Amino acid sequence: MDLDRSRHEERTPLLDRVTARDDEYSSDRSSVLEFSKRDLNQSTLVKRVKYYIPSFAWIPSYSTTFIGGDLLAGLTVASILIPQSISYATSLAKISPLAGLFSSAFPAIVYAFLGTSRQLNVAPEAALSLLVGQAISDIRFDTHGEDGASEALGIAVSTIITFQVGLITFLLGFFRLGFIDVVLSRALLRGFISAVAVVILVEQMIPMFGLVALQKIVKPETTIEKILFLLENAFTKLNPVTTMISFSALGVLLVLRNIKNSFKKYWFIYRVPEVLIVVIVSTFLSAEFRWDNDGVDILGSVSINAGHSFLQIPLQSSTLKYLRRTTSTAVMISVVGFLDSIVAAKQNAARFGHSISP
């Protein structure tokens, strides 16, 4: 009995040590699991943030060696977008040139932080500007008096269209519906783009021949009427100076682009922004020879009238009254712009070897 009792007393501390060791192991294991879950949750959160805000992924790894090339690229793109946006705003969208400048600046800034394509152009496009201008023209045609001819009507209509397009596009992007580009056939998209190109060509030929003043008198509405208007007046009532400047600038652009393509191995020639050269030279010549005295339409000084405040809420009584009439246009712009951007982004991603998030 005494021997068994001594053995039991020796075994009891040993069991206590084993039990304590097991408890310590269990505690350490639970702590490791808690840290692992916490790290996993943080990693998942970081991945989600980088997924929805891609700038958090590329800004920390941005190298200062890219600054020179990015500045040159920004200057080149700006030299194209500034005159292009002004032209689209005044000629196609039928709104003020100031609206064209703002519409080319803010989307690029926002997309730099939220977009994944490195080459996508998010500035105003000709097809979408034409749709906005058509909606404004239809509402102006049905609005009589001074309200129909005022600039405020164009701003109100374009504002409510832009708000709807932004909301629809945000929902398409939030639900990651980038796959819908495979639903519509390529033939349908190419047909739409080709038709828009014809309409834009007709729209741009009128100011190139200096017939804008006559157009405001005759008021051709449809594309067919504008084609007949050009055939009737292009060679009889054109402005010779405007026509010479327009087609000379177009020819210089084509020649410079062909020269650049022939000297691709010389970067200092290939990277010359031909649009910027044409804009600077034509601006200098216009001021030197006073082409405006010869009947050439120039932009001139642009007055900035922001009303009571620079930023205003888009949902106001002056814009909401056009909501129902512009919804179909907004849906069309959203779908066309969304598909066009996705197709262009995927093509650039495949060409330059980087991934995008549709």
Side-chain angles (χ1 to χ4, degrees), residues 19 105 165 201 253 260:
T19 303
V165 170
L201 176 63
L253 286 174
K260 288 175 57 178

Side-chain angles (χ1 to χ4, degrees), residues 62 66-77:
Y62 184 80
F66 299 150
I67 294 179
D70 289 344
L71 288 176
L72 180 60
L75 178 63
T76 304
V77 174

Side-chain angles (χ1 to χ4, degrees), residues 8-28:
H8 177 70
E9 291 176 354
E10 292 176 356
R11 191 180 302 162
T12 299
L14 181 61
L15 290 175
D16 292 340
R17 286 196 298 268
V18 172
T19 303
R21 189 180 302 169
D22 290 340
D23 294 339
E24 184 179 355
Y25 176 74
S26 299
S27 178
D28 293 341

Side-chain angles (χ1 to χ4, degrees), residues 51 56 124 181 283 287 299 306 323:
Y51 182 73
F56 282 97
D181 65 309
T283 303
L299 182 61
L323 178 64

Side-chain angles (χ1 to χ4, degrees), residues 6-223:
S6 62
R7 287 179 178 178
H8 177 70
E9 291 176 354
E10 292 176 356
R11 191 180 302 162
T12 299
L14 181 61
L15 290 175
D16 292 340
R17 286 196 298 268
V18 172
T19 303
R21 189 180 302 169
D22 290 340
D23 294 339
E24 184 179 355
Y25 176 74
S26 299
S27 178
D28 293 341
R29 186 177 180 183
S30 62
S31 299
V32 171
L33 290 176
E34 289 179 2
F35 281 120
S36 299
K37 290 181 180 179
R38 190 180 305 170
D39 293 340
L40 181 61
N41 292 333
Q42 291 179 354
S43 177
T44 303
L45 178 61
V46 170
K47 288 181 180 179
R48 287 185 178 274
V49 171
K50 290 182 178 180
Y51 182 73
Y52 286 100
I53 308 178
S55 57
F56 282 97
W58 64 263
I59 289 179
S61 60
Y62 184 80
S63 176
T64 55
T65 57
F66 299 150
I67 294 179
D70 289 344
L71 288 176
L72 180 60
L75 178 63
T76 304
V77 174
S79 66
I80 298 174
L81 290 186
I82 291 175
Q84 175 182 288
S85 301
I86 293 174
S87 176
Y88 287 169
T90 55
S91 300
L92 299 180
K94 314 299 182 183
I95 53 180
S96 67
L98 188 63
L101 291 176
F102 281 125
S103 62
S104 64
F106 288 107
I109 296 173
V110 174
Y111 189 82
F113 293 95
L114 301 180
T116 55
S117 177
R118 303 175 187 177
Q119 295 84 18
L120 187 63
N121 178 17
V122 292
E125 295 184 355
L128 308 186
S129 301
L130 184 64
L131 292 174
V132 174
Q134 187 62 44
I136 293 175
S137 298
D138 292 341
I139 294 177
R140 274 182 175 161
F141 182 77
D142 297 335
T143 304
H144 303 287
E146 295 182 357
D147 294 337
S150 66
E151 184 179 336
L153 184 143
I155 296 297
V157 174
S158 60
T159 298
I160 194 63
I161 291 176
T162 304
F163 178 80
Q164 294 179 84
V165 170
L167 181 61
I168 296 171
T169 307
F170 173 78
L171 294 176
L172 292 175
F174 183 80
F175 291 106
R176 298 298 169 184
L177 300 179
F179 61 89
I180 64 176
D181 65 309
V182 300
V183 177
L184 300 178
S185 64
R186 291 288 182 266
L188 178 62
L189 293 177
R190 289 174 180 174
F192 175 80
I193 293 174
S194 300
V196 170
V198 173
V199 175
I200 293 173
L201 176 63
V202 174
E203 292 281 348
Q204 293 298 308
M205 291 296 287
I206 294 176
M208 289 182 71
F209 281 104
L211 299 174
V212 176
L214 183 61
Q215 180 190 17
K216 294 179 180 179
I217 298 175
V218 179
K219 296 182 180 180
E221 296 295 335
T222 65
T223 303

